[in-house]
Amino acid sequence: MRRPNLSRLRRRLPRLGAKLQLGQRLRRTKRLLLNQRGDGVHSPFAFGLIDRVIRNRRPYYCFAPLRAELRACSRTLSQDALRSPSALELIYRLLQELRPSEVVYRAAAVSMLLRYLEHSGLSPLAWASRGEELPERSCLILESWPTEGEELVELTRQLQELCRQSPELMLFVHLPHPRLGRQLEQLRAELAPRLVLDLLDLQLWFFDPSLTPSRYKAVY
């Protein structure tokens, strides 16, 4: 059996990473041009989030030291961890705007997500330590989630039960790689959120029955 050329693989990895980053930038640019200010969004709730939060990059005092911390540990983060300071800051701003009654997170093994959540003033709970029920208007953040097999089936079952118990649930789902899009769409179809905001590497799902069923694409 022919052995893989490790030196060639090492040389190719930076080029593959650069191509992936370029593809992500192109997708963001295209979406930015098509939906600069939330035009075409007919839901007042969705338009408000896009206009006031998603497209608003106002800094908070904690952002500068957290960015420095993120840069310092970027090489040690898990593959499925959120690496973009813009994404982590967006989650922080969303929590400040929406003020959920409870925040539950399922983080990657090595992650900066909790550091940002700790500054939110909302006392976040790890997924493993949550109770069987959540209060109304709770927010779940899935930075890391199983993409196949029994783990995904069990996670889907638990999320369906939480959706029944907390009809105003909010769910933020991280998409660490575009190739996982099919699995994410399968999860979305199973849970059937009322409103979906697709931000490329993040999706915001809202289950409030008072919202008009809709799905919008935006960029931050």
Side-chain angles (χ1 to χ4, degrees), residues 19-89:
K19 286 182 179 179
L20 178 60
Q21 291 177 1
L22 177 60
Q24 290 174 339
R25 287 197 296 269
L26 289 174
R27 287 194 296 274
R28 286 183 182 277
T29 301
K30 178 181 177 182
R31 190 169 291 188
L32 183 62
L33 292 173
L34 292 175
N35 185 9
Q36 239 181 356
R37 294 167 52 192
D39 299 335
V41 177
H42 303 292
S43 163
F45 174 77
F47 185 89
L49 277 187
I50 292 171
D51 186 53
R52 292 195 310 273
V53 184
I54 294 171
R55 300 299 310 282
N56 186 341
R57 297 206 172 195
R58 69 181 184 275
Y60 285 80
Y61 291 118
C62 63
F63 285 179
L66 285 172
R67 280 197 174 212
E69 190 176 338
L70 179 61
R71 284 194 299 271
C73 71
S74 61
R75 293 189 177 184
T76 65
L77 295 177
S78 301
Q79 261 193 335
D80 52 350
L82 283 157
R83 297 171 177 273
S84 164
S86 298
L88 289 161
E89 290 166 8

Side-chain angles (χ1 to χ4, degrees), residues 126-143:
W127 175 262
S129 61
R130 67 179 174 80
E132 290 299 318
E133 297 184 6
L134 290 176
E136 294 286 335
R137 284 187 50 77
S138 293
C139 179
L140 302 181
I141 303 173
L142 298 184
E143 177 186 38

Side-chain angles (χ1 to χ4, degrees), residues 188 193-198 203-206 214-217:
R188 184 187 62 80
R194 298 283 289 183
L195 171 65
V196 174
L197 290 178
D198 179 354
Q203 288 199 13
L204 314 179
W205 300 352
F206 298 91
S214 50
R215 182 177 181 179
Y216 300 110
K217 294 181 179 182

